[in-house]
Amino acid sequence: MSSLGRFTLPYHPSLPFIFATMPKRSNEFQELVSLIQKALAPSDATVTDSALVGEDSREIDILIDGKFGHFQMKVAVEAKDEKRKMDLVKFESIIGKYFSEGGIKVNKVVVVTRAGFYNPVKERAKLLGIDLMTLQEAKTTNWHRFSNASLSFKVQPHICGLDFTPPISRLDSQRLWNEATMLCPHGQNHGSAMKRAAGEVFGRWFPKNLDMFNNAVQQIQNEHDGAGHIHITMPHNGWSVVFHGKKHQITSMTARLHIVSASADINSTEYELCSEDGTTKRFQKIQATAGGKKLTFLLPETPHVPEKIILNIEDAISEAKKDRDRRRKTLARHQKNSKNNS
């Protein structure tokens, strides 16, 4: 049995931007190129119609290439001028064009069609971060929003805790999870509780419940700050947990699966350090809050040297929590003063 638990709570400038391939464009689609050029004119971005990229000269219907802030961005636009909505088969060919191994590398993909998209396409696009538009929506959208550099912060799903039914009360839960042994009804030792849970979750549950997992990740991205938990309950009737020589009979074990899949706009500031001998060194400070974490990067002029990139990760405290803490402290202070005055 699997159940979704209570949800609590990733710059990856290479998210694609698509409009589907089309053999012949109407005047309206041709006008779209001019519209994008005018919209992005202040940023000095280059907008190329029918751009050929790579050694094999693959075509992108519209390629936007420019420096936005400190970052070089590429947006691929593929336009589909058809009377019918785009189905999943045609959409998968676009995904392969940009997301497969050896695919075209761009920073954003948006697909534009005349008639729109079927629901399975919308769901697939949402998971991949692909923007979908009708032609009319493309004419009125703010194209500058695609030039905002963003950071993607993702952590591989991992088990952060275990619960047993009936409960096993221990103050040192970490030791219980990692040192207790699991005995099946036949008395065979199946290793630690954490090892058993990992085998069940990643070996058996995942292959059978990928759709449920993807839906949970999407819900976390949409309704939370990009980090949350899924509770996966596994029946264990007749099993025992042995810890410090004591045997505990259980009927089920629940794994708390921690998921982080968040994104946020980044703030970038450029600094210059001056040494005593007069030499200067420039670097960028990049900050973003995603998945409940505050991420700070310090990038030198040569960020391709990985050992020179400094990354700091700390827990982020939301403004709402700060406000609650301030009100709580103020109330406590007033109550203390009232008590003293009386």
Side-chain angles (χ1 to χ4, degrees), residues 247-298:
K247 184 182 290 188
H248 305 268
Q249 296 289 333
I250 65 170
T251 58
S252 66
M253 177 170 60
T254 298
R256 299 195 298 270
L257 198 66
H258 186 215
I259 299 169
V260 179
S261 181
S263 61
D265 291 341
I266 66 172
N267 295 316
S268 175
T269 308
E270 193 169 278
Y271 293 91
E272 195 171 78
L273 291 178
C274 300
S275 62
E276 294 182 354
D277 61 4
T279 59
T280 61
K281 180 178 290 188
R282 297 169 62 187
F283 68 93
Q284 291 181 44
K285 180 181 180 181
I286 296 173
Q287 290 184 311
T289 299
K293 300 292 181 181
K294 184 178 180 180
L295 310 169
T296 303
F297 296 84
L298 294 181

Side-chain angles (χ1 to χ4, degrees), residues 73-222:
M73 305 285 287
K74 287 187 177 182
V75 175
V77 181
E78 300 285 338
K80 196 73 171 179
D81 190 7
E82 294 184 352
K83 295 181 179 180
R84 295 183 178 181
K85 291 183 179 180
M86 178 176 288
D87 58 26
L88 199 54
V89 173
K90 292 182 179 178
F91 187 63
E92 288 290 346
S93 67
I94 296 175
I95 293 174
K97 181 176 180 179
Y98 293 94
F99 288 87
S100 64
E101 185 176 351
I104 302 174
K105 302 302 178 186
V106 292
N107 301 96
K108 186 63 185 172
V109 182
V110 178
V111 186
V112 174
T113 71
R114 180 182 295 278
F117 311 85
Y118 286 108
N119 285 334
V121 174
K122 295 178 182 179
E123 294 170 1
R124 188 91 165 92
K126 201 164 190 178
L127 288 174
L128 293 173
I130 297 175
D131 279 63
L132 305 179
M133 300 184 204
T134 63
L135 178 59
Q136 292 304 315
E137 290 170 339
K139 289 180 178 180
T140 58
T141 195
N142 176 15
W143 288 92
H144 274 286
R145 68 187 174 95
F146 296 111
S147 65
N148 294 331
S150 63
L151 177 143
S152 294
F153 179 39
K154 297 186 179 182
V155 176
Q156 286 289 85
H158 61 282
I159 298 174
C160 64
L162 300 173
D163 297 304
F164 302 95
T165 304
I168 301 176
S169 299
R170 296 294 306 183
L171 295 176
D172 47 353
S173 297
Q174 291 280 354
R175 292 188 63 188
L176 172 65
W177 304 335
N178 292 290
E179 296 179 13
T181 55
M182 300 283 294
L183 299 182
C184 70
H186 303 290
Q188 183 178 351
N189 187 336
H190 287 259
S192 71
M194 187 62 77
K195 179 181 178 181
R196 170 70 183 174
E200 288 292 300
V201 170
F202 299 111
R204 297 188 181 186
W205 186 87
F206 255 94
K208 297 178 181 179
N209 297 277
L210 283 178
D211 288 341
M212 179 183 291
F213 173 75
N214 289 334
N215 289 336
V217 172
Q218 185 172 337
Q219 187 174 347
I220 288 172
Q221 291 172 332
N222 293 342

Side-chain angles (χ1 to χ4, degrees), residues 313-330:
I313 303 177
E314 56 186 332
D315 289 334
I317 302 176
S318 67
E319 289 302 320
K321 186 178 185 305
K322 290 180 182 179
D323 189 50
R324 288 195 301 269
D325 291 343
R326 283 193 293 266
R327 291 199 302 268
R328 192 180 296 114
K329 290 179 181 179
T330 302

